[in-house]
């Protein structure tokens, strides 16, 4: 039987319910466990952590909205992650983690072999926390790291901390999604991020919704998208003091880049599937070979 999911939101969980959850974890029948905003005792939280530690099927763990509510729970979660080898996505959005809590959790995050997505939005982080997170975005070829990172609504981070993150993003060889929405970034930090995006070969999605940006930031981002080849495909700028015209220009340029990439990918796939198709390097035109029966051997391939 394929692993399923347990998703409970905003409920007070009984001891019997916790026992059922833990049994399912130990039986490796759970791929997704979400206890978003639920209430459970300290003892029961410990049981869940031990069940997660033993599970070999658990890929996504959602403890959003205050589940990890104190240092003792942070320690128990850290111990579970040191043993667990299967969790790929960890969501702690809305937890009063603070830099001190992240410092306790970070060693387990750093050595986890499967973790690729981390949500630390609204976790009361500051610059020290950001420094720790940068360690989860190792430079090119160093080791595996995060592909998706959410740091929404952490207003305690200063421009110094965001600058450090921008440097890490620029050199990360794996990060594809970065959510920084609802942080008071301003135009200065946006400029740093534009340089990071221009340098990154992997970042595809950047969420800057509600981050205090103006047309100055938008113009910098427009210049970046227009003049530098990047992997960026989605840039979210809603809830900022940016003109609709500038937002539309950026969106149009990103769409053009995506269409060109899809066309190139289809052509490459067609060439790989059909050795009869070759490329004329001098004219950059497709040369089409046929079987002699008049039938084209070039097939359209949908990505």
């Amino acid at each position: 039987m394929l692993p399923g999911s347990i998703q409970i939101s905003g409920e007070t969980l009984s001891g019997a319910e916790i026992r059922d959850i833990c049994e399912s974890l130990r039986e490796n029948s759970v791929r997704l466990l979400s206890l978003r905003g639920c209430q459970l005792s300290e003892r029961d939280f410990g049981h869940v952590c031990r069940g997660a530690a033993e599970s070999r099927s658990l890929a996504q763990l959602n403890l959003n909205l205050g589940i990890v509510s104190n240092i003792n729970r942070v320690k128990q979660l850290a111990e579970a992650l040191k043993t667990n080898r299967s969790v790929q996505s960890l969501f702690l959005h809305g937890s009063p983690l603070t830099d001190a809590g992240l410092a306790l959790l970070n060693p387990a995050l750093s050595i986890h072999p499967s973790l690729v997505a981390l949500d630390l939005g609204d976790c009361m982080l500051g610059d020290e926390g950001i420094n720790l997170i940068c360690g989860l975005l190792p430079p090119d070829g160093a080791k595996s790291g995060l592909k998706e990172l959410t740091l929404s609504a952490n207003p305690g981070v200063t421009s110094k901390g965001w600058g450090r993150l921008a440097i890490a993003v620029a050199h990360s060889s794996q990060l594809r999604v970065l959510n920084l929405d609802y942080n008071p970034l301003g135009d200065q930090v946006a400029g740093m991020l534009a340089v990071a995006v221009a340098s990154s070969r992997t970042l595809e999605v950047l969420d800057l919704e509600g981050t205090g940006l103006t047309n100055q930031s938008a113009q910098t981002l427009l210049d970046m998208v227009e003049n530098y080849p990047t992997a960026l495909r989605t840039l979210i700028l809603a809830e900022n003091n940016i003109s609709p015209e500038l937002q539309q220009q950026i969106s149009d340029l990103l769409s053009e880049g995506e269409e060109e990439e899809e066309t190139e990918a289809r052509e490459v796939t067609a060439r790989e599937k059909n050795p009869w198709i070759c490329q004329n390097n001098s004219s950059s035109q497709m040369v089409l070979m046929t079987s002699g029966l008049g039938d084209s051997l070039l097939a359209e391939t949908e990505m």
Side-chain angles (χ1 to χ4, degrees):
M1 183 177 66
L2 293 175
S5 65
I6 298 175
Q7 301 183 62
I8 309 171
S9 181
E11 296 185 14
T12 299
L13 300 178
S14 67
E17 289 173 314
I18 294 296
R19 283 192 294 274
D20 289 342
I21 291 171
C22 292
E23 183 177 352
S24 297
L25 288 169
R26 286 192 293 270
E27 291 176 350
N28 298 309
S29 60
V30 179
R31 180 172 176 80
L32 185 160
L33 175 60
S34 176
L35 302 179
R36 185 175 179 272
C38 289
Q39 301 292 322
L40 61 163
S41 68
E42 295 295 317
R43 180 181 179 183
D44 285 342
F45 182 83
H47 289 323
V48 170
C49 285
R50 286 190 286 277
E54 296 175 19
S55 176
R56 298 188 303 276
S57 64
L58 185 63
Q60 182 172 318
L61 180 59
N62 187 330
L63 301 176
N64 283 350
L65 301 183
I67 302 295
V68 186
S69 55
N70 55 55
I71 290 296
N72 184 54
R73 292 192 176 193
V74 173
K75 292 178 179 177
Q76 292 184 82
L77 178 59
E79 286 301 314
L81 291 173
K82 287 178 182 177
T83 303
N84 175 276
R85 291 290 178 269
S86 62
V87 170
Q88 299 172 19
S89 303
L90 177 63
F91 300 90
L92 299 176
H93 201 112
S95 302
L97 198 59
T98 74
D99 290 350
L102 184 56
L104 293 173
L105 192 59
N106 186 66
L109 299 177
S110 298
I111 64 171
H112 200 285
S114 303
L115 188 68
V116 293
L118 180 63
D119 186 344
L120 295 177
D122 194 18
C123 281
M124 303 173 63
L125 300 179
D127 289 354
E128 291 182 11
I130 294 298
N131 287 341
L132 294 172
I133 290 166
C134 289
L136 303 176
L137 304 173
D140 294 356
K143 60 178 181 178
S144 61
L146 296 177
K147 294 182 179 179
E148 299 183 18
L149 175 61
T150 296
L151 294 170
S152 317
N154 281 294
V157 181
T158 70
S159 58
K160 180 180 179 181
W162 294 126
R164 176 72 184 276
L165 180 70
I167 294 172
V169 169
H171 292 282
S172 170
S173 59
Q174 298 183 57
L175 189 67
R176 295 183 177 181
V177 178
L178 179 61
N179 299 310
L180 300 178
D181 48 311
Y182 297 103
N183 285 296
L185 303 181
D187 292 332
Q188 180 184 6
V189 173
M192 300 177 192
L193 291 170
V195 174
V197 173
S199 301
S200 172
R201 298 193 297 272
T202 59
L203 192 67
E204 299 175 356
V205 178
L206 177 60
D207 187 350
L208 298 177
E209 180 176 355
T211 51
L213 308 188
T214 70
N215 283 345
Q216 178 183 332
S217 297
Q219 189 60 58
T220 301
L221 292 165
L222 177 62
D223 292 342
M224 178 269 296
V225 172
E226 191 170 21
N227 297 305
Y228 295 91
T230 73
L232 193 67
R233 294 294 170 261
T234 302
L235 177 60
I236 302 171
L237 296 172
E239 301 296 326
N240 285 297
N241 190 24
I242 297 174
S243 69
E245 292 78 14
L246 275 174
Q247 292 195 49
Q248 189 60 52
Q249 283 181 273
I250 294 171
S251 178
D252 289 345
L253 284 170
L254 290 174
S255 296
E256 288 175 10
E258 188 170 8
E259 289 172 3
E260 290 175 2
E261 188 176 79
E262 289 176 353
T263 300
E264 290 178 5
R266 284 196 294 269
E267 291 175 354
V268 168
T269 301
R271 288 196 298 272
E272 289 176 347
K273 287 188 174 183
N274 239 309
W276 291 98
I277 302 168
C278 62
Q279 189 78 20
N280 186 327
N281 292 327
S282 60
S283 64
S284 296
Q285 294 178 334
M286 188 70 76
V287 178
L288 184 63
M289 307 295 291
T290 67
S291 64
L293 300 177
D295 296 327
S296 170
L297 298 180
L298 177 60
E300 288 292 330
T301 305
E302 292 295 331
M303 295 299 291

